[in-house]
Amino acid sequence: LRGLLRALHSDKVCGGYGSIRKKYEVNEMTTNVKKVLHAGISVYNMEESLAWYKKNLGFEVVKNDGYVPPLKAKIVFIEKDGFQIELFEYEKIPEDRLTPNTDLQTVGTKHIAFATDDMDALKAGFVENGVDIAHEVRMDGEAVMFVRDCNGVLLEFIQGK
């Protein structure tokens, strides 16, 4: 198994397999990274997605780039409480990303997490709006809930102790 992992993770990717054991230190480069600006999500239908994020999470459109020919996609930025999500609607979605089991095996972002002060009220609103609640659990005294947006994208909500 280690040989397979080494073959899959060459030194060109994330420092290679051996990098897991390396100690990383803060340096001049890392101190130049200031804050998260936005996350990106590809969607099936821009209008439906904009309506879903507004109705269920309170996001508002802050920038509409329209159709961007080099990317062959529509791009819209939405924002809530200073956090932005960049939504992409591509002309054609790769087939391997349409199957959940295959997509989960694709390296990359799997969900965005949001804090909530009242999980019960949030859940009641989601149920009323017909939102797909994928999973609920209590972990270390925290209530955790995963939902799927109208595109099947997982979103996590956490209510602290």
Side-chain angles (χ1 to χ4, degrees):
L1 180 60
R2 286 182 185 211
L4 176 60
L5 288 173
R6 283 189 182 110
L8 291 173
H9 297 282
S10 71
D11 287 337
K12 295 176 183 172
V13 180
C14 294
Y17 174 74
S19 69
I20 295 169
R21 297 187 186 114
K22 291 179 185 176
K23 180 180 177 184
Y24 291 97
E25 297 179 15
V26 174
N27 59 38
E28 187 177 324
M29 182 201 75
T30 59
T31 59
N32 287 322
V33 178
K34 302 301 181 190
K35 68 177 186 173
V36 174
L37 294 177
H38 67 267
I41 298 175
S42 292
V43 301
Y44 293 110
N45 181 290
M46 186 64 74
E47 296 309 315
E48 287 177 15
S49 299
L50 292 172
W52 192 95
Y53 277 88
K54 180 175 182 139
K55 179 179 182 179
N56 293 293
L57 303 180
F59 277 84
E60 297 287 342
V61 172
V62 292
K63 183 180 178 195
N64 186 340
D65 289 337
Y67 183 78
V68 180
L71 297 179
K72 297 181 180 177
K74 295 177 189 173
I75 300 175
V76 177
F77 284 83
I78 57 177
E79 183 176 321
K80 178 181 171 107
D81 297 331
F83 178 69
Q84 292 187 358
I85 298 175
E86 181 179 13
L87 299 177
F88 297 87
E89 180 189 327
Y90 285 93
E91 288 178 2
K92 183 170 171 52
I93 298 170
E95 291 297 320
D96 62 337
R97 299 301 303 261
L98 295 177
T99 306
N101 289 343
T102 304
D103 186 53
L104 287 174
Q105 296 171 34
T106 304
V107 173
T109 304
K110 299 305 171 198
H111 68 268
I112 299 172
F114 298 91
T116 182
D117 292 331
D118 190 343
M119 188 68 79
D120 292 334
L122 182 64
K123 180 181 178 181
F126 285 157
V127 169
E128 184 178 320
N129 290 344
V131 172
D132 180 10
I133 298 174
H135 183 69
E136 295 177 83
V137 66
R138 290 201 72 79
M139 296 172 38
D140 298 324
E142 294 183 333
V144 177
M145 177 173 51
F146 283 88
V147 304
R148 290 184 183 91
D149 75 0
C150 59
N151 304 284
V153 174
L154 284 174
L155 302 170
E156 180 181 21
F157 299 87
I158 301 170
Q159 180 180 348
K161 300 175 186 176

